Amino acid sequence: MQLKKLNIALFPVRYNDKYYSDALASGEFTKLAYYSDICVGAIACRLEKKEGGAICVYIMTLGVLAPYRGLGIGTKLLNHVLDLCAKQNISEVYLHVQTNNEDAINFYKKFGFDITDTIKNYYTNITPPDCYVLTKFITQPQPKN
């Protein structure tokens, strides 16, 4: 329920039950962030099977309450997921960002995400309705011979 409360405060979109069941199903890939006992941020992911059976991670949401931004909480949450990907040989992480959300786009670019697609009219009740798909391909450490 903490995740639901946070999302209501953070995002202009209401998430359905499937979002929450996917978040729970992803296990360690969904995390809440606390700052002195207050839940101030969260990352929620969904694990997806690609053609060929490889798993990729879709970041459904990553958010930190405004007064707690700039403290490295979002960075910690994102790094947590990227580290898990590396440990579990997951080579692709992607997400959607509203095209006018420059703060988010710049944040993800710092971590090596690139805009790989634009989807027109992705969002139904917010303006602009378009989104970018940001993707990061994680190169797995090669075993040393």
Side-chain angles (χ1 to χ4, degrees):
M1 291 323 297
Q2 286 284 20
L3 184 58
K4 203 168 222 172
K5 280 186 196 150
L6 259 180
N7 286 346
I8 289 167
L10 286 168
F11 303 112
V13 180
R14 291 291 159 264
Y15 295 97
N16 59 19
D17 291 342
K18 184 175 177 354
Y19 163 96
Y20 293 101
S21 60
D22 285 343
L24 284 172
S26 82
E28 281 290 297
F29 285 91
T30 293
K31 269 276 187 253
L32 296 174
Y34 288 85
Y35 188 86
S36 57
D37 295 338
I38 305 161
C39 185
V40 298
I43 190 165
C45 299
R46 179 172 72 220
L47 301 179
E48 298 179 346
K49 265 208 171 76
K50 292 171 32 172
E51 283 178 30
I55 302 279
C56 74
V57 172
Y58 172 59
I59 298 176
M60 298 187 292
T61 54
L62 167 58
V64 176
L65 295 174
Y68 300 93
R69 288 182 195 149
L71 300 172
I73 295 167
T75 295
K76 268 204 166 67
L77 288 167
L78 184 55
N79 278 331
H80 167 76
V81 166
L82 296 176
D83 290 347
L84 277 178
C85 289
K87 284 185 185 123
Q88 298 186 23
N89 293 326
I90 295 169
S91 60
E92 185 181 337
V93 184
Y94 78 103
L95 56 111
H96 296 103
V97 174
Q98 200 175 0
T99 51
N100 68 339
N101 190 342
E102 288 178 25
D103 288 348
I105 294 162
N106 292 332
F107 173 78
Y108 287 110
K109 281 187 167 177
K110 281 195 302 207
F111 291 88
F113 283 79
D114 292 306
I115 295 173
T116 51
D117 201 2
T118 304
I119 303 173
K120 295 279 182 212
N121 300 311
Y122 178 78
Y123 300 106
T124 45
N125 298 323
I126 55 177
T127 306
D130 308 334
C131 81
Y132 292 128
V133 177
L134 274 74
T135 308
K136 178 178 173 73
F137 293 99
I138 299 165
T139 47
Q140 299 302 328
Q142 297 305 312
K144 294 192 170 57
N145 292 345

